[in-house]
Amino acid sequence: MQRAGLAAFEYMQALWPNAKRILVVAGNGNNAGDAYVLACHAKQASFCVKVMCEDPSRLLSSDAGVWQAKWFELEGQTECFDSIAAESFDLVVDGLLGTGLKGNVTPNFLQMIRHINQADLPVLSLDVPSGLESDTGIGLPESVHSAATISFIAPKLGLLTGVGKHYCGQLKIASLGVDQTIHSLVGPRAQLVDWNTLLSLPARPIHANKGTFGKLVCIGGGKGMAGAIRLSAESALRSGAGMVRVICDASSVLHVASGRPELMVDGGNLLAALDWCSVVVLGPGLGKSDWAKQTFKSVIEYLVHKPKALVLDADGLNLLGDDFASYAELLSQLPSLVLTPHPGEAARLLNTSIRAVEADRYASCLQISQKYQAACILKGAGSIICDPVEPLAWVCNGGNPGMAVAGMGDLLSGICGAMLAQGLDPAEAAVYSVCAHAEAGDRVAKETGQRGILPTDLLLTIQTIINE
């Protein structure tokens, strides 16, 4: 607790060096103890500090009580929960509720959370934003909206994905010197990954030819949706696939082939393309027309008899979700399957609502993975990857809101197909493709800003990244 409070005080100073008037909001448990440690350090450093709590006369127990007593010894100011006069403070430190929160926040504490959010002041949260369920990142029912959160010992699952990633703001992990000890006693539930944490892809053999790196067929591009399959196929080329072929609606052939002669594009000959390829990407721009439904059915039935790696995306996922009963047994026989749903597609795959998916993204991703016996990428802020035989989930620590634009998912499906074509197993392909995609988005955003990024802006950056 002493280390946590000191780490938070130092982090506060680093982020807001000019903030000298500090309001500390403390609860009744260990999170309050961390807050009192910070308050004591701040007061001893000549900051103007005030503590708000539920009952200033209530004595806390255990270590939290020790630091509460220390605060009183320093003649610290303590007041009951109330509205916050924003003009009186530079910063709020949120030590109201921590990881022990179970069930909904009590009315008194909920009111204080609302006061904090209404104060229009920067907030530093200790361990997790108060009111946030630490495993899922969902407010119970509301949570503090923090400018920054310092989380202790290890990152909490709910801070890494979905709305929890939004509410925690800038996230810092303070190991408190016990990280190795705790890891030897408690196994992790997830692994935080980004491109820089991954091993480089293997060097290419000097005697390689185009067939060495796989033959990929991308199937989609229904009438009026040529762009989606073009993005998927071109990103596969930029990600190192040896040869890429596109099967699309006849009306889309010219649009897909234009300006990219390296792509082999065909409005028919589906079975010939499936015979030729080693990996299939099915779904970008596929649509739900009769052509799309027949194409989907033909591909799945073919792969049952001649198994090959498959990436299902976009309308491939929607068609699967619409008629899972017809395809469940067929899919279970595929040796390599990767599904890449966004929350809406995930909801259809699980026959539930988007709200239910987002309420526990980890559980949703794992359920899809196990139901379909596939590596699953649940896209969004903090994309999650699960594999049915791997106890750990992977959470991507990259990406940015500038990537929230039509076509980004099509790029990802192509990258994933290319990784499979180059010999990665489904889980590896999913992790490497998500991290490369996120890293490319971050590098482009750093150069241009987030607004207005196009999927095609990432293509050359993807090529650079996978060669590092």
Side-chain angles (χ1 to χ4, degrees):
M1 185 176 290
Q2 183 174 357
R3 294 177 188 176
L6 177 58
F9 174 63
E10 292 173 344
Y11 187 49
M12 179 191 78
Q13 289 181 296
L15 287 182
W16 295 284
N18 297 320
K20 298 300 179 183
R21 301 175 302 164
I22 314 300
L23 173 62
V24 177
V25 182
N28 298 324
N30 286 334
N31 201 239
D34 300 335
Y36 277 113
V37 175
L38 181 148
C40 289
H41 282 293
K43 186 167 181 60
Q44 290 173 320
S46 299
F47 285 64
C48 177
V49 189
K50 180 182 290 185
V51 173
M52 276 190 182
C53 61
E54 188 174 30
D55 179 4
S57 65
R58 177 175 179 170
L59 299 180
L60 303 184
S61 61
S62 192
D63 292 336
V66 172
W67 285 97
Q68 181 192 42
K70 177 70 172 176
W71 172 247
F72 292 143
E73 288 173 10
L74 294 173
E75 299 181 351
Q77 295 184 47
T78 307
E79 295 182 2
C80 289
F81 288 165
D82 200 352
S83 59
I84 298 170
E87 67 277 5
S88 300
F89 303 102
D90 302 316
L91 175 72
V92 177
V93 174
D94 162 31
L96 194 61
L97 296 165
T99 58
L101 176 63
K102 302 300 179 187
N104 283 350
V105 177
T106 62
N108 200 18
F109 280 62
L110 181 59
Q111 186 62 35
M112 199 60 218
I113 288 171
R114 290 171 175 164
H115 283 321
I116 293 172
N117 288 337
Q118 292 165 4
D120 196 26
L121 289 168
V123 179
L124 172 63
S125 285
L126 307 183
D127 217 10
V128 297
S130 290
L132 201 73
E133 207 284 320
S134 60
D135 284 342
T136 64
I138 297 299
L140 297 173
E142 298 178 35
S143 67
V144 169
H145 190 180
S146 307
T149 299
I150 180 166
S151 198
F152 306 125
I153 301 178
K156 311 307 181 287
L157 292 174
L159 305 182
L160 305 176
T161 191
V163 293
K165 191 176 179 72
H166 169 71
Y167 276 99
C168 80
Q170 182 175 324
L171 178 62
K172 179 179 176 61
I173 308 303
S175 68
L176 308 185
V178 299
D179 52 341
Q180 295 305 315
T181 302
I182 199 71
H183 292 165
S184 69
L185 299 173
V186 181
R189 287 181 55 192
Q191 175 70 46
L192 195 60
V193 291
D194 58 37
W195 185 255
N196 294 321
T197 67
L198 304 179
L199 297 175
S200 298
L201 292 169
R204 294 192 155 194
I206 197 167
H207 63 287
N209 60 64
K210 60 188 178 184
T212 306
F213 308 113
K215 300 175 181 179
L216 177 64
V217 62
C218 297
I219 303 171
K223 187 175 182 179
M225 294 184 286
I229 202 67
R230 165 66 181 267
L231 287 169
S232 182
E234 190 161 355
S235 69
L237 282 174
R238 291 296 184 186
S239 301
M243 290 181 276
V244 180
R245 188 170 180 173
V246 174
I247 298 294
C248 59
D249 185 85
S251 65
S252 298
V253 170
L254 289 178
H255 298 287
V256 176
S258 178
R260 185 49 65 207
E262 297 88 350
L263 291 175
M264 298 171 277
V265 187
D266 198 330
N269 298 317
L270 175 62
L271 294 181
L274 292 172
D275 284 337
W276 167 84
C277 75
S278 56
V279 178
V280 179
V281 173
L282 174 61
L286 186 65
K288 289 191 174 182
S289 66
D290 290 342
W291 171 83
K293 293 175 182 177
Q294 183 56 51
T295 298
F296 181 85
K297 183 173 184 290
S298 297
V299 172
I300 301 301
E301 290 178 346
Y302 176 97
L303 293 178
V304 169
H305 299 291
K306 296 183 180 180
K308 298 180 181 184
L310 172 64
V311 179
L312 269 182
D313 183 39
D315 283 320
L317 296 169
N318 292 328
L319 290 170
L320 174 60
D322 289 345
D323 196 10
F324 170 63
S326 299
Y327 297 108
E329 185 176 351
L330 301 179
L331 285 171
S332 67
Q333 300 176 48
L334 297 183
S336 298
L337 177 61
V338 180
L339 308 180
T340 63
H342 59 54
E345 293 157 351
R348 285 187 281 276
L349 290 174
L350 292 173
N351 193 28
T352 188
S353 66
I354 295 174
R355 183 174 182 178
V357 169
E358 292 288 79
D360 193 338
R361 286 173 53 84
Y362 293 94
S364 298
C365 188
L366 182 60
Q367 287 170 21
I368 293 170
S369 179
Q370 292 178 340
K371 178 178 179 178
Y372 296 94
Q373 288 298 292
C376 177
I377 300 168
L378 180 54
K379 296 183 287 194
S383 291
I384 299 171
I385 302 102
C386 286
D387 183 80
V389 298
E390 171 59 56
L392 281 178
W394 295 272
V395 189
C396 181
N397 198 31
N400 64 82
M403 300 173 72
V405 61
M408 281 292 179
D410 302 316
L411 289 185
L412 179 63
S413 66
I415 301 169
C416 193
M419 295 297 173
L420 289 170
Q422 293 171 87
L424 276 66
D425 67 35
E428 289 176 327
V431 171
Y432 272 78
S433 59
V434 167
C435 291
H437 184 247
E439 178 72 11
D442 286 343
R443 292 190 190 183
V444 170
K446 186 175 181 180
E447 292 181 5
T448 67
Q450 294 180 1
R451 287 184 174 87
I453 293 176
L454 301 179
T456 50
D457 296 337
L458 273 61
L459 288 168
L460 291 178
T461 306
I462 290 168
Q463 181 189 3
T464 299
I465 289 165
I466 65 165
N467 282 289
E468 294 176 347

